[in-house]
Amino acid sequence: MSKKILAGILFFLGSYTVQAAAYLNVQPIQVCDNNRNNCADPAQNLYLDITEAIWAQAGIAINFLPWVSINDSEFQDFSSPTSNLYHLWLGNPNVTGANTTADVVNMWFVNELQPSVLGTTQVGGPYSIIGDLTFAGDYSDVIAHELGHTLGLVHNTDPLALMNPSPRSPGSVDDIYSNGTGTDELFTDEIARALQSHLLTSEPISVGLTTSAASSSAPEPLSLLIVAVGLCTLFPLSKLARRESI
């Protein structure tokens, strides 16, 4: 099947209909210090329009669950292997704030990753971390790129690929493939791989899910965003910004 035909089918199934081909359920977790100050991503920006437009290419809707906030200074800096959040990669998924529901991707927002790193994700695994450098540089495709890693995608050297290691800032959804500058393209083989991910569900997971005990939670008004346009050690770890893989 040609890419044009596949894209047309996915557009029909996922772009302007109620039912998406599949759903990726994501729990955003904002990390603040012990006094509930210095919160990462203070605006709770998920670059929703860019993220949804990118994943519309695959007919995958991103279902962001209501924000959870934790107050723990030791979670703010992922640059040291002594940090609490680093234990995710040591086999301890039940860290503070983690959503323990099956098929939910936990995405922590922290002040710092390693220098010049925007995001880090287990390729094919349900854990991702986004650093504040993403928002300082307005790298609006980083969240969509990291979600690609959770769905099993690796880096792609094509300069316009979503999975290219170099971050970009699409000016608007009008620049996303196949429009405008054609940036952040998902290729046919990548779409096929992503759609095979065990993390996808046929329906969006509803809210009210179980999380590990958090210092505090800050539920937002229900933003069950059915974005219908839209794999280191335990799993390979991918870093973004230099979007690099190790």
Side-chain angles (χ1 to χ4, degrees), residues 73-108:
S73 299
E74 294 188 17
F75 278 77
Q76 288 187 299
D77 184 355
F78 187 70
S79 63
S80 169
T82 62
S83 68
N84 285 349
L85 205 51
Y86 190 85
H87 286 275
L88 281 174
W89 278 264
L90 299 181
N92 176 23
N94 296 315
V95 297
T96 300
N99 192 312
T100 58
T101 306
D103 303 325
V104 168
V105 174
N106 285 284
M107 180 172 278
W108 280 266

Side-chain angles (χ1 to χ4, degrees), residues 38-197:
N38 301 314
C39 298
D41 187 12
Q44 297 187 337
N45 185 2
L46 295 169
Y47 291 116
L48 292 174
D49 56 343
I50 298 295
T51 304
E52 73 173 38
I54 290 171
W55 283 103
Q57 298 173 67
I60 294 175
I62 312 301
N63 176 30
F64 283 106
L65 303 176
W67 280 85
V68 168
S69 179
I70 64 172
N71 304 330
D72 192 331
S73 299
E74 294 188 17
F75 278 77
Q76 288 187 299
D77 184 355
F78 187 70
S79 63
S80 169
T82 62
S83 68
N84 285 349
L85 205 51
Y86 190 85
H87 286 275
L88 281 174
W89 278 264
L90 299 181
N92 176 23
N94 296 315
V95 297
T96 300
N99 192 312
T100 58
T101 306
D103 303 325
V104 168
V105 174
N106 285 284
M107 180 172 278
W108 280 266
F109 291 79
V110 303
N111 294 133
E112 278 190 63
L113 289 167
Q114 296 173 352
S116 76
V117 174
L118 303 178
T120 184
T121 297
Q122 292 175 327
V123 180
Y127 305 115
S128 182
I129 306 174
I130 306 295
D132 270 353
L133 186 60
T134 293
F135 308 101
D138 197 28
Y139 296 119
S140 55
D141 69 349
V142 168
I143 292 175
H145 175 102
E146 295 301 325
L147 291 176
H149 286 311
T150 69
L151 292 173
L153 304 187
V154 296
H155 285 152
N156 184 331
T157 58
D158 187 289
L160 293 179
L162 169 66
M163 301 312 296
N164 186 282
S166 298
R168 288 170 301 278
S169 301
S172 72
V173 294
D174 294 331
D175 289 328
I176 304 301
Y177 182 87
S178 61
N179 299 313
T181 59
T183 193
D184 289 310
E185 181 177 358
L186 283 164
F187 293 83
T188 302
D189 60 331
E190 293 174 324
I191 292 174
R193 176 174 294 205
L195 288 172
Q196 292 174 356
S197 173

Side-chain angles (χ1 to χ4, degrees), residues 193-210:
R193 176 174 294 205
L195 288 172
Q196 292 174 356
S197 173
H198 68 282
L199 292 170
L200 294 178
T201 59
S202 59
E203 298 290 339
I205 293 178
S206 63
V207 298
L209 304 179
T210 302

